[in-house]
Amino acid sequence: MTASTTAGNSDPRRGGPTVALSAQNLALSAQNLAEAADRGIAVPTYDRSAVRPGIVHFGVGGFHRAHMAMVLDDLMEAGLAADWGIVGAGVLPHDVGMRDALAGQDHLYTLTLKHPDGAKERRVIGSIIDYRFGPDDPAGLLDLLTDPTIRIVSLTVTEGGYNVNPVTGDFITDEPAIAADVEALRAGALPATVFGYVVAALRQRREAGTPAFTVQSCDNISENGEVAAKMFTAFARLVDDELADWIETNVAFPNSMVDRITPATTDDDRADLLNETGVVDAWPVVAEPFFQWVLEDAFTDGRPPYERARVQVVTDVRPYEHMKLRLLNSGHQGLAYFGLLAGYTYAHEAMENPDIATYLRRYMDDEGTPSLAPLPGIDLEEYKDTLIERFSNPEIRDTLARLGAESSDRIPKWLLPVVRDNLASGHPVEVAAAICASWARYAEGHDETGGRFTIVDRYAEKLQAVAGTQDTDPLAFIRQKQFFGDLAEDPRFTEPYLAALTSLHERGAKETVRRLAAGEAL
């Protein structure tokens, strides 16, 4: 058995060329890094024992480990961030899996970048130095957050994790876990949610005279720093008005735009790593080579030198994030539901249908691009070309199910702003309306052959119930004001929406996409 050639590892310190492996599998650990390097995997060469915590990150998943943690690893390799080690944190029951996977291998993991031509870059990331699962020791996690060495608390908690009402944009106060944490903090008890931990820690730092940490969102939300500021402050205001005022004045919430397609880890990914290198990793990460991070330079108590590791540090992130959310993320929504209805499993499989690629480019050109502000220094045509190439990468094996998850958080935040802006400016909304219709049809819970979908969405039951009434009330789905506001009352949107929904029911997804790609009437 031989390891695959590892691209980009010409530095002999970081990973050698392809070599023959011994028959014995190698467990990923700090002790075994030298042997992992011998097997063609780039490894950290900095002294991890000298890395000190500076960041607590809530929501350690694939994307964080392919993005922010990789950036910190790059900086540590350059000798620039030894006091910015990451301590992962989880508070939800499913976070136990990440706790155990990382703890069993000294908090190391492999990152594999998969190029379209089949080349693979493999490396071990060492920037995560610990992991705390809140229910194990709530007091210990809170003590860590109040430690002055922690100067950034970062987040990848998904769009739904910010507890935002998708129509009003306000904080949802009646979620049981939120209400319980408000009462806990009022009573001086220990928290259980990310809101409770962050606000309780800030309260203790205020009382102790310790500088506040920065709350750094890394989630795919428009103006994510401003959303985080609004939501965390709203939670704090439920606990203590004076504390909320202090947070507004003293805590930075920088906006950021993040981009790297990172599919969920599968057993096949684990098997590929084992078969090609002999290395056993409980939770490896695979991602595309493309990387982008645009970050507002607004921090409370210092930051790592992010700009030394390919991060664009700017004064205004919004034009860049709108480009990404309205082209890439909305493009993913356009790919997911039509693809699933047509019977495809993976993004690259759907993109092999030329009608799908053409229809997505039509959305980007005719509707996504007109909704954007000027972008100095960005070649939008090249960017859109790159998106089509990225969606088509067969090595990533990104599932359409992943792209279509949590739709009730994504469509209102990513696609519907395009619709509203184009309605206001007189630009077309036909393709965006068709994407909404594909979501409504998908929410019925079955494809065109009768195969059932597992809909992953916190409102899945409600969405399916409403979608089930579309045969008698075809506007039922978009009458859900929680998601669509008043769009059901605007014929400029409802007419193309109804045409697409009817076509999906009568002609099917492939023919509907073909007509959209050709600009034909539905």
PDB file of all heavy atoms in Angstrom, residues 263-287:
ATOM      1  N   PRO A 263     -17.691  19.525   2.737  1.00  0.00           N
ATOM      2  CA  PRO A 263     -18.755  18.531   2.938  1.00  0.00           C
ATOM      3  C   PRO A 263     -18.640  17.858   4.301  1.00  0.00           C
ATOM      4  O   PRO A 263     -17.569  17.828   4.909  1.00  0.00           O
ATOM      5  CB  PRO A 263     -18.518  17.520   1.811  1.00  0.00           C
ATOM      6  CG  PRO A 263     -17.590  18.181   0.859  1.00  0.00           C
ATOM      7  CD  PRO A 263     -16.786  19.155   1.659  1.00  0.00           C
ATOM      8  N   ALA A 264     -19.758  17.331   4.753  1.00  0.00           N
ATOM      9  CA  ALA A 264     -19.730  16.546   5.985  1.00  0.00           C
ATOM     10  C   ALA A 264     -18.835  15.326   5.805  1.00  0.00           C
ATOM     11  O   ALA A 264     -18.802  14.706   4.741  1.00  0.00           O
ATOM     12  CB  ALA A 264     -21.149  16.108   6.350  1.00  0.00           C
ATOM     13  N   THR A 265     -18.094  15.002   6.850  1.00  0.00           N
ATOM     14  CA  THR A 265     -17.196  13.852   6.812  1.00  0.00           C
ATOM     15  C   THR A 265     -17.996  12.551   6.717  1.00  0.00           C
ATOM     16  O   THR A 265     -19.003  12.377   7.403  1.00  0.00           O
ATOM     17  CB  THR A 265     -16.322  13.828   8.069  1.00  0.00           C
ATOM     18  OG1 THR A 265     -15.574  15.039   8.131  1.00  0.00           O
ATOM     19  CG2 THR A 265     -15.358  12.649   8.050  1.00  0.00           C
ATOM     20  N   THR A 266     -17.541  11.657   5.863  1.00  0.00           N
ATOM     21  CA  THR A 266     -18.206  10.362   5.700  1.00  0.00           C
ATOM     22  C   THR A 266     -17.253   9.236   6.070  1.00  0.00           C
ATOM     23  O   THR A 266     -16.038   9.417   6.194  1.00  0.00           O
ATOM     24  CB  THR A 266     -18.657  10.165   4.245  1.00  0.00           C
ATOM     25  OG1 THR A 266     -17.497  10.055   3.410  1.00  0.00           O
ATOM     26  CG2 THR A 266     -19.508  11.333   3.771  1.00  0.00           C
ATOM     27  N   ASP A 267     -17.826   8.036   6.196  1.00  0.00           N
ATOM     28  CA  ASP A 267     -16.980   6.862   6.433  1.00  0.00           C
ATOM     29  C   ASP A 267     -16.046   6.622   5.255  1.00  0.00           C
ATOM     30  O   ASP A 267     -14.930   6.111   5.428  1.00  0.00           O
ATOM     31  CB  ASP A 267     -17.849   5.632   6.684  1.00  0.00           C
ATOM     32  CG  ASP A 267     -18.522   5.663   8.049  1.00  0.00           C
ATOM     33  OD1 ASP A 267     -18.026   6.389   8.933  1.00  0.00           O
ATOM     34  OD2 ASP A 267     -19.547   4.974   8.226  1.00  0.00           O
ATOM     35  N   ASP A 268     -16.486   6.994   4.048  1.00  0.00           N
ATOM     36  CA  ASP A 268     -15.604   6.855   2.882  1.00  0.00           C
ATOM     37  C   ASP A 268     -14.368   7.742   3.022  1.00  0.00           C
ATOM     38  O   ASP A 268     -13.268   7.352   2.605  1.00  0.00           O
ATOM     39  CB  ASP A 268     -16.352   7.221   1.600  1.00  0.00           C
ATOM     40  CG  ASP A 268     -17.342   6.146   1.160  1.00  0.00           C
ATOM     41  OD1 ASP A 268     -17.234   5.012   1.665  1.00  0.00           O
ATOM     42  OD2 ASP A 268     -18.216   6.456   0.333  1.00  0.00           O
ATOM     43  N   ASP A 269     -14.539   8.939   3.596  1.00  0.00           N
ATOM     44  CA  ASP A 269     -13.383   9.814   3.804  1.00  0.00           C
ATOM     45  C   ASP A 269     -12.392   9.191   4.775  1.00  0.00           C
ATOM     46  O   ASP A 269     -11.168   9.252   4.570  1.00  0.00           O
ATOM     47  CB  ASP A 269     -13.840  11.176   4.344  1.00  0.00           C
ATOM     48  CG  ASP A 269     -14.712  11.938   3.368  1.00  0.00           C
ATOM     49  OD1 ASP A 269     -14.429  11.871   2.152  1.00  0.00           O
ATOM     50  OD2 ASP A 269     -15.673  12.596   3.812  1.00  0.00           O
ATOM     51  N   ARG A 270     -12.910   8.592   5.828  1.00  0.00           N
ATOM     52  CA  ARG A 270     -12.028   7.921   6.788  1.00  0.00           C
ATOM     53  C   ARG A 270     -11.307   6.746   6.113  1.00  0.00           C
ATOM     54  O   ARG A 270     -10.104   6.533   6.309  1.00  0.00           O
ATOM     55  CB  ARG A 270     -12.831   7.423   7.991  1.00  0.00           C
ATOM     56  CG  ARG A 270     -13.464   8.525   8.820  1.00  0.00           C
ATOM     57  CD  ARG A 270     -14.284   7.939   9.977  1.00  0.00           C
ATOM     58  NE  ARG A 270     -14.859   8.985  10.810  1.00  0.00           N
ATOM     59  CZ  ARG A 270     -16.048   9.562  10.588  1.00  0.00           C
ATOM     60  NH1 ARG A 270     -16.778   9.186   9.551  1.00  0.00           N
ATOM     61  NH2 ARG A 270     -16.493  10.514  11.394  1.00  0.00           N
ATOM     62  N   ALA A 271     -12.070   6.005   5.306  1.00  0.00           N
ATOM     63  CA  ALA A 271     -11.486   4.845   4.642  1.00  0.00           C
ATOM     64  C   ALA A 271     -10.438   5.260   3.612  1.00  0.00           C
ATOM     65  O   ALA A 271      -9.394   4.619   3.483  1.00  0.00           O
ATOM     66  CB  ALA A 271     -12.591   4.023   3.977  1.00  0.00           C
ATOM     67  N   ASP A 272     -10.702   6.347   2.877  1.00  0.00           N
ATOM     68  CA  ASP A 272      -9.728   6.822   1.890  1.00  0.00           C
ATOM     69  C   ASP A 272      -8.414   7.204   2.567  1.00  0.00           C
ATOM     70  O   ASP A 272      -7.328   6.879   2.077  1.00  0.00           O
ATOM     71  CB  ASP A 272     -10.284   8.027   1.125  1.00  0.00           C
ATOM     72  CG  ASP A 272     -11.346   7.643   0.121  1.00  0.00           C
ATOM     73  OD1 ASP A 272     -11.494   6.438  -0.169  1.00  0.00           O
ATOM     74  OD2 ASP A 272     -12.060   8.550  -0.363  1.00  0.00           O
ATOM     75  N   LEU A 273      -8.526   7.925   3.676  1.00  0.00           N
ATOM     76  CA  LEU A 273      -7.318   8.322   4.400  1.00  0.00           C
ATOM     77  C   LEU A 273      -6.551   7.085   4.862  1.00  0.00           C
ATOM     78  O   LEU A 273      -5.318   6.999   4.716  1.00  0.00           O
ATOM     79  CB  LEU A 273      -7.698   9.197   5.597  1.00  0.00           C
ATOM     80  CG  LEU A 273      -6.545   9.646   6.483  1.00  0.00           C
ATOM     81  CD1 LEU A 273      -5.661  10.656   5.754  1.00  0.00           C
ATOM     82  CD2 LEU A 273      -7.075  10.264   7.792  1.00  0.00           C
ATOM     83  N   LEU A 274      -7.270   6.117   5.395  1.00  0.00           N
ATOM     84  CA  LEU A 274      -6.624   4.905   5.887  1.00  0.00           C
ATOM     85  C   LEU A 274      -5.996   4.113   4.745  1.00  0.00           C
ATOM     86  O   LEU A 274      -4.836   3.674   4.834  1.00  0.00           O
ATOM     87  CB  LEU A 274      -7.646   4.046   6.631  1.00  0.00           C
ATOM     88  CG  LEU A 274      -7.137   2.728   7.212  1.00  0.00           C
ATOM     89  CD1 LEU A 274      -6.056   2.976   8.257  1.00  0.00           C
ATOM     90  CD2 LEU A 274      -8.294   1.940   7.813  1.00  0.00           C
ATOM     91  N   ASN A 275      -6.729   3.956   3.656  1.00  0.00           N
ATOM     92  CA  ASN A 275      -6.224   3.143   2.541  1.00  0.00           C
ATOM     93  C   ASN A 275      -5.023   3.782   1.864  1.00  0.00           C
ATOM     94  O   ASN A 275      -4.116   3.083   1.386  1.00  0.00           O
ATOM     95  CB  ASN A 275      -7.333   2.917   1.516  1.00  0.00           C
ATOM     96  CG  ASN A 275      -8.440   2.028   2.041  1.00  0.00           C
ATOM     97  OD1 ASN A 275      -8.227   1.234   2.952  1.00  0.00           O
ATOM     98  ND2 ASN A 275      -9.637   2.164   1.472  1.00  0.00           N
ATOM     99  N   GLU A 276      -5.014   5.121   1.796  1.00  0.00           N
ATOM    100  CA  GLU A 276      -3.955   5.801   1.053  1.00  0.00           C
ATOM    101  C   GLU A 276      -2.746   6.156   1.905  1.00  0.00           C
ATOM    102  O   GLU A 276      -1.655   6.380   1.372  1.00  0.00           O
ATOM    103  CB  GLU A 276      -4.520   7.062   0.392  1.00  0.00           C
ATOM    104  CG  GLU A 276      -5.580   6.745  -0.661  1.00  0.00           C
ATOM    105  CD  GLU A 276      -6.234   7.984  -1.240  1.00  0.00           C
ATOM    106  OE1 GLU A 276      -5.754   9.108  -0.953  1.00  0.00           O
ATOM    107  OE2 GLU A 276      -7.231   7.846  -1.965  1.00  0.00           O
ATOM    108  N   THR A 277      -2.918   6.243   3.218  1.00  0.00           N
ATOM    109  CA  THR A 277      -1.801   6.646   4.073  1.00  0.00           C
ATOM    110  C   THR A 277      -1.575   5.704   5.254  1.00  0.00           C
ATOM    111  O   THR A 277      -0.530   5.778   5.896  1.00  0.00           O
ATOM    112  CB  THR A 277      -2.022   8.063   4.637  1.00  0.00           C
ATOM    113  OG1 THR A 277      -3.089   8.034   5.598  1.00  0.00           O
ATOM    114  CG2 THR A 277      -2.344   9.055   3.529  1.00  0.00           C
ATOM    115  N   GLY A 278      -2.567   4.891   5.577  1.00  0.00           N
ATOM    116  CA  GLY A 278      -2.458   4.055   6.764  1.00  0.00           C
ATOM    117  C   GLY A 278      -2.746   4.785   8.054  1.00  0.00           C
ATOM    118  O   GLY A 278      -2.625   4.213   9.139  1.00  0.00           O
ATOM    119  N   VAL A 279      -3.163   6.064   7.970  1.00  0.00           N
ATOM    120  CA  VAL A 279      -3.413   6.865   9.174  1.00  0.00           C
ATOM    121  C   VAL A 279      -4.882   6.746   9.579  1.00  0.00           C
ATOM    122  O   VAL A 279      -5.780   6.873   8.748  1.00  0.00           O
ATOM    123  CB  VAL A 279      -3.027   8.340   8.943  1.00  0.00           C
ATOM    124  CG1 VAL A 279      -3.493   9.219  10.104  1.00  0.00           C
ATOM    125  CG2 VAL A 279      -1.520   8.452   8.757  1.00  0.00           C
ATOM    126  N   VAL A 280      -5.095   6.527  10.864  1.00  0.00           N
ATOM    127  CA  VAL A 280      -6.438   6.426  11.423  1.00  0.00           C
ATOM    128  C   VAL A 280      -6.804   7.761  12.064  1.00  0.00           C
ATOM    129  O   VAL A 280      -6.139   8.210  13.001  1.00  0.00           O
ATOM    130  CB  VAL A 280      -6.518   5.303  12.474  1.00  0.00           C
ATOM    131  CG1 VAL A 280      -7.920   5.217  13.069  1.00  0.00           C
ATOM    132  CG2 VAL A 280      -6.112   3.971  11.869  1.00  0.00           C
ATOM    133  N   ASP A 281      -7.840   8.402  11.547  1.00  0.00           N
ATOM    134  CA  ASP A 281      -8.325   9.671  12.081  1.00  0.00           C
ATOM    135  C   ASP A 281      -9.815   9.516  12.331  1.00  0.00           C
ATOM    136  O   ASP A 281     -10.586   9.203  11.417  1.00  0.00           O
ATOM    137  CB  ASP A 281      -8.064  10.799  11.064  1.00  0.00           C
ATOM    138  CG  ASP A 281      -8.492  12.179  11.562  1.00  0.00           C
ATOM    139  OD1 ASP A 281      -9.148  12.261  12.616  1.00  0.00           O
ATOM    140  OD2 ASP A 281      -8.183  13.177  10.879  1.00  0.00           O
ATOM    141  N   ALA A 282     -10.242   9.711  13.578  1.00  0.00           N
ATOM    142  CA  ALA A 282     -11.644   9.516  13.930  1.00  0.00           C
ATOM    143  C   ALA A 282     -12.570  10.502  13.223  1.00  0.00           C
ATOM    144  O   ALA A 282     -13.724  10.176  12.949  1.00  0.00           O
ATOM    145  CB  ALA A 282     -11.823   9.630  15.448  1.00  0.00           C
ATOM    146  N   TRP A 283     -12.078  11.702  12.940  1.00  0.00           N
ATOM    147  CA  TRP A 283     -12.949  12.694  12.315  1.00  0.00           C
ATOM    148  C   TRP A 283     -12.126  13.593  11.392  1.00  0.00           C
ATOM    149  O   TRP A 283     -11.888  14.761  11.689  1.00  0.00           O
ATOM    150  CB  TRP A 283     -13.671  13.535  13.358  1.00  0.00           C
ATOM    151  CG  TRP A 283     -15.001  14.046  12.881  1.00  0.00           C
ATOM    152  CD1 TRP A 283     -15.321  14.503  11.642  1.00  0.00           C
ATOM    153  CD2 TRP A 283     -16.206  14.138  13.652  1.00  0.00           C
ATOM    154  NE1 TRP A 283     -16.636  14.881  11.575  1.00  0.00           N
ATOM    155  CE2 TRP A 283     -17.207  14.670  12.797  1.00  0.00           C
ATOM    156  CE3 TRP A 283     -16.531  13.842  14.976  1.00  0.00           C
ATOM    157  CZ2 TRP A 283     -18.519  14.908  13.239  1.00  0.00           C
ATOM    158  CZ3 TRP A 283     -17.825  14.073  15.410  1.00  0.00           C
ATOM    159  CH2 TRP A 283     -18.804  14.595  14.555  1.00  0.00           C
ATOM    160  N   PRO A 284     -11.703  13.079  10.247  1.00  0.00           N
ATOM    161  CA  PRO A 284     -10.941  13.896   9.305  1.00  0.00           C
ATOM    162  C   PRO A 284     -11.840  14.940   8.653  1.00  0.00           C
ATOM    163  O   PRO A 284     -13.064  14.867   8.734  1.00  0.00           O
ATOM    164  CB  PRO A 284     -10.447  12.871   8.274  1.00  0.00           C
ATOM    165  CG  PRO A 284     -11.496  11.803   8.299  1.00  0.00           C
ATOM    166  CD  PRO A 284     -11.959  11.724   9.730  1.00  0.00           C
ATOM    167  N   VAL A 285     -11.203  15.895   7.995  1.00  0.00           N
ATOM    168  CA  VAL A 285     -11.928  16.941   7.267  1.00  0.00           C
ATOM    169  C   VAL A 285     -11.471  16.897   5.811  1.00  0.00           C
ATOM    170  O   VAL A 285     -10.276  16.776   5.533  1.00  0.00           O
ATOM    171  CB  VAL A 285     -11.637  18.343   7.846  1.00  0.00           C
ATOM    172  CG1 VAL A 285     -12.477  19.398   7.129  1.00  0.00           C
ATOM    173  CG2 VAL A 285     -11.914  18.369   9.342  1.00  0.00           C
ATOM    174  N   VAL A 286     -12.436  17.011   4.897  1.00  0.00           N
ATOM    175  CA  VAL A 286     -12.112  17.174   3.477  1.00  0.00           C
ATOM    176  C   VAL A 286     -12.729  18.476   3.000  1.00  0.00           C
ATOM    177  O   VAL A 286     -13.785  18.887   3.482  1.00  0.00           O
ATOM    178  CB  VAL A 286     -12.611  15.994   2.627  1.00  0.00           C
ATOM    179  CG1 VAL A 286     -11.964  14.695   3.051  1.00  0.00           C
ATOM    180  CG2 VAL A 286     -14.135  15.878   2.682  1.00  0.00           C
ATOM    181  N   ALA A 287     -12.072  19.141   2.065  1.00  0.00           N
ATOM    182  CA  ALA A 287     -12.558  20.428   1.574  1.00  0.00           C
ATOM    183  C   ALA A 287     -12.016  20.672   0.181  1.00  0.00           C
ATOM    184  O   ALA A 287     -11.097  19.981  -0.285  1.00  0.00           O
ATOM    185  CB  ALA A 287     -12.137  21.565   2.514  1.00  0.00           C
TER     186      ALA A 287
END
